[in-house]
């Protein structure tokens, strides 16, 4: 706020552009630096929306919005908040996936921190060079599993930038207090590495010993510089995601969005779905396609929920069937990680089956819930879905892989193959499904319903850890807001326009839980609710 003149005019966080009044221009040394007209923020929104609308395709629209964000953050968030449903798919999945693939080509200006392995001796200096001193939330990736698009190296930076935009848009986190980070540890994507435009370190990914030592150094630098920050891990390959979470979850204020955020949103959506289907989760047989960190994270939470509904651990596990690229996870497989092994079915249970692929499991088991976190586009085939639809009145089918090009099925197909009976939620956004002249919105079961609220909760309540119970409360509060609970024809998750308000509700419940869990200072529930409402940043010129 202190700067004047050009520095003030070009400070994206505090500029008002053509909305500086004549008096402000005089006070701030801006006279003559702007055309004489004085705009209101509403007029600026109208103008930028028109500009946005003239862009040819979604990537152009993404580039336009990113440029606006770099120029005037208040206006960027005001525009987004007035067109949330239209712009979410542009700043986030699916368009952000293409923006990551073409990151070096569309690169304009730096944002956040590029923490590169060759700079490892100077990590503290890198952290000290962060653009803003005070930070509430870091989102960090190493670019190895960007949505379902694999290794994008430094291009993965598009994801932390996009996620943090949603922390602000939905969770009301002050954009000046967010920090996107990419750990540049090389890339195994040969096409990227050999692209002359590639802006990252042209090197194969470093080996695990160097990798974990580097992550440890990075964490140490973050702790020293920003001891209270929330550190969110995003889009790490499963092989690294789980060990990193295990190593740091009890040492830092941290969570892994793909594991824990996805689990919470899936459980939230299943709440409305199970109620509409008329059968609680604990009475369902659940099939998951994909045994990566997202899939296993979701299943851990489903199992806990089944236990809270009265099953033993073993009974719950016996209702969960996981299929990966090799087929069903069974206890005679030697290639399973510890996390996967917890969901392996006894091999004896499948003796006599013709095979152990998804179609076989759906054929043999009384499946009520089919979930996909596999990146396998089209894997929920007509044959599989029709078989499932023959077993239950209201099949619950969630193709959750991102971006759209990786979805296991499209909602209009699921609708057709089940005669409109499927209860559907998808990872990326899809157009409404039309049946008998009536259009129905498709719920987007994406962790964006959760992470902004977690950020808001821990920031406002000054929490020091993200506990499992905090995540469970987030899932429960979201589930209770399902429009399908009051009308089975409504989507399983709330509309985007309502999401900022619901994020506030989730954040309040999570903050209350943080106090209960002893990881945030004592405060009454009312005080927390008030603190959360008051701490929300708003896109208004100061
Ligand atoms: N909706 C949401 O909010 C979220 C969605 N996601 C999406 O989930 C997907 C998976 O993420 P993540 O778990 O981290 O990724 P991983 O790559 O770690 O996991 C993918 C899993 O699917 C399996 N798989 C791959 N291809 C097939 C196939 N053809 N048939 C059966 N199984 C297959 C893999 O098996 P194997 O290991 O043997 O190859 C692996 O078990 C991504 O598309 C991601 O965008 C992730 C987080 C949140
Ligand atoms: C949504 C998300 O986090 C993912 O697809 O990775
Ligand atoms: Mg992710």
């Amino acid at each position: 706020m202190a700067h004047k003149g050009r520095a003030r005019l070009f400070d994206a966080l505090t500029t008002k552009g053509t909305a500086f009044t004549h008096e402000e221009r005089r006070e701030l040394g801006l006279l003559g630096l702007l055309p004489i007209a004085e705009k209101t923020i509403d007029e600026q929104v109208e103008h930028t929306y028109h500009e946005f609308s003239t862009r040819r395709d979604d990537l152009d629209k993404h580039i336009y919005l990113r440029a606006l964000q770099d120029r005037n953050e208040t206006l960027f968030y005001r525009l987004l908040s007035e067109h949330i449903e239209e712009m979410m798919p542009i700043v986030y999945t699916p368009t952000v996936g293409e923006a990551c693939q073409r990151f070096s080509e569309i690169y304009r200006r730096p944002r956040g921190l590029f923490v590169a392995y060759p700079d490892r001796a100077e990590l503290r200096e890198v952290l000290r060079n962060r653009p803003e001193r005070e930070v509430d939330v870091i989102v960090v990736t190493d670019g190895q599993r960007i949505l379902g698009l694999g290794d994008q190296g430094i291009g993965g930076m598009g994801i932390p930038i996009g996620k943090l935009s949603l922390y602000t848009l939905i969770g009301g986190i002050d954009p000046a207090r967010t920090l996107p980070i990419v750990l540049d540890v090389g890339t195994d994507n040969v096409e990227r590495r050999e692209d002359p435009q590639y802006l990252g370190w042209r090197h194969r990914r470093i080996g695990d010993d160097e990798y974990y030592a580097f992550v440890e150094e990075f964490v140490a630098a973050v702790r020293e510089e920003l001891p209270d920050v929330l550190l969110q891990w995003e889009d790490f390959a499963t092989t690294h995601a789980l060990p990193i979470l295990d190593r740091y979850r009890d040492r830092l204020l941290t969570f892994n969005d793909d594991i824990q955020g996805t689990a919470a949103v899936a459980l939230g959506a299943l709440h409305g779905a199970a109620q509409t289907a008329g059968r609680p989760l604990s009475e369902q047989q659940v099939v998951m396609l994909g045994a990566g960190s997202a899939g296993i994270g979701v299943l851990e939470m489903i199992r806990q929920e089944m236990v809270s509904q009265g099953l033993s651990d073993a009974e719950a596990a016996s209702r969960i069937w996981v299929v990966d690229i090799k087929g069903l996870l069974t206890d005679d497989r030697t290639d399973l990680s510890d996390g996967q092994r917890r969901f392996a079915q006894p091999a004896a249970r499948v003796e006599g089956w013709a095979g152990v692929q998804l179609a076989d499991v759906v054929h043999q088991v009384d499946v009520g819930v089919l979930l996909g976190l596999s990146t396998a586009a089209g894997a929920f085939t007509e044959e599989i879905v029709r078989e499932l639809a023959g077993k239950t009145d209201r099949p619950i089918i969630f193709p959750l892989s991102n971006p759209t090009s990786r979805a296991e099925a499209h909602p209009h197909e699921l609708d057709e193959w089940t005669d409109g009976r499927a209860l559907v939620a998808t990872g990326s956004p899809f157009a409404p499904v039309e049946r008998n002249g009536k259009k129905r919105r498709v719920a987007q079961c994406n962790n964006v319903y959760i992470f902004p609220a977690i950020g808001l909760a821990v920031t406002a309540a000054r929490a020091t850890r993200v506990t499992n119970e905090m995540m469970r409360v987030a899932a429960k509060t979201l589930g209770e807001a399902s429009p399908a609970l009051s009308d089975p024809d409504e989507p399983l998750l709330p509309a985007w326009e309502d999401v900022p308000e619901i994020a506030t509700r989730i954040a309040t419940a999570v903050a209350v839980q943080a106090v209960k869990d002893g990881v945030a200072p004592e405060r009454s529930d009312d005080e927390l609710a008030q603190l959360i409402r008051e701490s929300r940043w708003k896109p208004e010129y100061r």
Side-chain angles (χ1 to χ4, degrees):
M1 274 299 183
H3 0 281
K4 289 190 155 195
R6 273 175 58 82
R8 178 63 196 277
L9 190 56
F10 290 105
D11 176 20
L13 289 164
T14 60
T15 192
K16 303 182 185 181
T18 53
F20 277 119
T21 62
H22 205 70
E23 204 173 318
E24 286 168 334
R25 295 177 193 198
R26 193 173 294 123
E27 254 172 46
L28 296 168
L30 300 177
L31 281 182
L33 295 180
L34 286 160
I36 194 80
E38 271 176 39
K39 299 275 183 156
T40 63
I41 194 164
D42 291 333
E43 287 167 336
Q44 289 179 312
V45 167
E46 201 178 317
H47 174 84
T48 46
Y49 183 62
H50 174 74
E51 278 289 294
F52 169 86
S53 307
T54 62
R55 292 304 188 264
R56 259 195 336 242
D57 58 30
D58 288 350
L59 185 64
D60 276 346
K61 288 181 176 172
H62 178 94
I63 293 169
Y64 176 74
L65 288 180
R66 281 281 300 106
L68 177 61
Q69 184 180 22
D70 286 343
R71 199 165 74 234
N72 182 336
E73 298 224 15
T74 315
L75 180 55
F76 168 77
Y77 285 109
R78 184 69 160 253
L79 176 68
L80 251 56
S81 63
E82 291 186 13
H83 300 276
I84 187 163
E85 186 156 353
E86 182 177 0
M87 296 194 180
M88 281 277 293
I90 304 297
V91 292
Y92 193 50
T93 185
T95 311
V96 73
E98 192 183 355
C100 289
Q101 290 173 303
R102 296 173 63 178
F103 180 83
S104 298
E105 179 194 336
I106 67 175
Y107 177 86
R108 300 287 195 281
R109 292 170 62 122
R111 175 170 279 264
L113 284 180
F114 299 87
V115 179
Y117 189 70
D119 293 333
R120 62 192 173 283
E122 286 137 324
L123 279 195
R124 285 187 179 50
E125 183 178 343
V126 172
L127 259 293
R128 277 198 292 272
N129 287 343
R130 63 190 180 274
E132 299 296 326
R133 288 300 81 200
E134 305 298 327
V135 181
D136 291 329
V137 186
I138 288 173
V139 176
V140 61
T141 188
D142 69 356
Q144 194 170 5
R145 195 285 277 146
I146 292 303
L147 308 176
L149 303 171
D151 187 350
Q152 300 302 325
I154 201 182
M157 182 55 142
I159 296 289
I161 291 173
K163 292 259 172 183
L164 284 166
S165 302
L166 302 179
Y167 264 101
T168 297
L169 179 68
I170 292 170
I173 303 291
D174 182 346
R177 300 175 69 95
T178 64
L179 179 63
I181 297 184
V182 63
L183 302 178
D184 186 0
V185 290
T187 175
D188 292 338
N189 183 330
V190 179
E191 196 188 333
R192 294 285 163 275
R193 222 165 53 212
E194 291 180 353
D195 177 356
Q197 299 198 65
Y198 185 61
L199 291 169
W201 183 42
R202 285 169 196 281
H203 197 281
R204 283 192 312 277
R205 283 190 179 268
I206 55 179
D208 273 358
D209 289 349
E210 293 94 336
Y211 178 86
Y212 287 115
F214 184 63
V215 170
E216 181 69 27
E217 271 295 297
F218 164 70
V219 167
V222 168
R223 289 182 84 169
E224 204 172 289
E225 285 293 314
L226 296 163
D228 302 324
V229 79
L230 171 66
L231 183 60
Q232 179 191 308
W233 308 94
E234 187 72 46
D235 287 8
F236 284 71
T238 287
T239 44
H240 293 144
L242 290 161
I244 288 176
L245 181 61
D246 280 349
R247 187 173 296 190
Y248 297 112
R249 66 191 310 162
D250 296 326
R251 282 167 58 188
L252 310 172
L253 177 61
T254 197
F255 75 106
N256 180 299
D257 184 38
D258 299 296
I259 300 173
Q260 298 165 280
T262 314
V265 70
L267 195 65
L270 282 170
H271 181 70
Q275 173 118 338
T276 310
R279 204 166 12 147
L281 205 51
S282 57
E283 290 174 22
Q284 302 274 4
Q285 300 280 342
V286 175
V287 175
M288 168 72 76
L289 185 71
S293 51
I296 295 299
V298 167
L299 294 176
E300 280 295 347
M301 215 176 204
I302 287 180
R303 187 167 62 168
Q304 283 167 26
E305 179 61 20
M306 286 178 165
V307 169
S308 79
Q309 291 180 9
L311 300 190
S312 69
D313 243 9
E315 284 166 341
S318 75
R319 292 186 162 271
I320 295 174
W321 306 78
V322 193
V323 178
D324 73 359
I325 205 155
K326 297 198 187 80
L328 184 67
L329 269 50
T330 45
D331 60 5
D332 56 346
R333 275 178 59 169
T334 53
D335 61 331
L336 303 184
S337 66
D338 291 346
Q340 292 171 327
R341 191 158 291 288
R342 287 200 285 271
F343 295 100
Q345 289 283 350
R349 227 178 148 187
V350 306
E351 259 170 34
W353 288 17
V356 287
Q357 296 305 318
L358 180 63
D360 305 300
V361 178
V362 171
H363 182 64
Q364 297 285 348
V365 178
D366 179 26
V367 183
V369 179
L370 175 61
L371 309 173
L373 283 160
S374 66
T375 75
F380 296 171
T381 61
E382 180 169 357
E383 191 191 347
I384 290 172
V385 172
R386 284 196 186 277
E387 170 123 38
L388 172 54
K391 291 175 185 261
T392 170
D393 284 347
R394 302 302 307 264
I396 298 169
I397 311 180
F398 292 1
L400 298 180
S401 288
N402 296 319
T404 318
S405 61
R406 298 296 187 269
E408 288 83 1
H410 286 211
H412 71 270
E413 298 170 327
L414 297 174
D415 185 76
E416 189 189 323
W417 300 336
T418 64
D419 302 317
R421 290 181 289 122
L423 295 160
V424 177
T426 54
S428 287
F430 280 90
V433 167
E434 200 168 339
R435 174 163 285 273
N436 303 330
K438 209 171 146 196
K439 282 190 177 170
R440 273 185 304 156
R441 186 170 64 76
V442 179
Q444 188 184 344
C445 180
N446 189 293
N447 47 34
V448 64
Y449 277 95
I450 299 294
F451 65 77
I454 298 293
L456 178 58
V458 301
T459 304
R462 290 194 287 117
T464 55
R465 293 290 180 275
V466 179
T467 64
N468 283 342
E469 280 308 302
M470 287 158 72
M471 282 292 173
R472 278 173 57 77
V473 159
K476 183 168 181 283
T477 313
L478 175 62
E480 285 164 359
S482 167
L485 292 178
S486 46
D487 177 351
D489 285 335
E490 285 293 310
L492 298 174
L493 291 167
W496 288 120
E497 301 80 76
D498 300 331
V499 169
E501 173 54 31
I502 284 161
T504 304
R505 225 185 286 164
I506 297 174
T508 306
V510 171
V512 167
Q513 187 64 41
V515 172
K516 266 193 208 150
D517 288 350
V519 298
E522 268 308 320
R523 278 204 186 86
S524 72
D525 297 3
D526 287 347
E527 275 174 311
L528 286 168
Q530 191 183 348
L531 207 59
I532 280 168
R533 286 202 182 273
E534 284 170 359
S535 69
R536 287 191 70 108
W537 180 88
K538 293 183 189 65
E540 289 162 2
Y541 289 136
R542 299 324 182 254

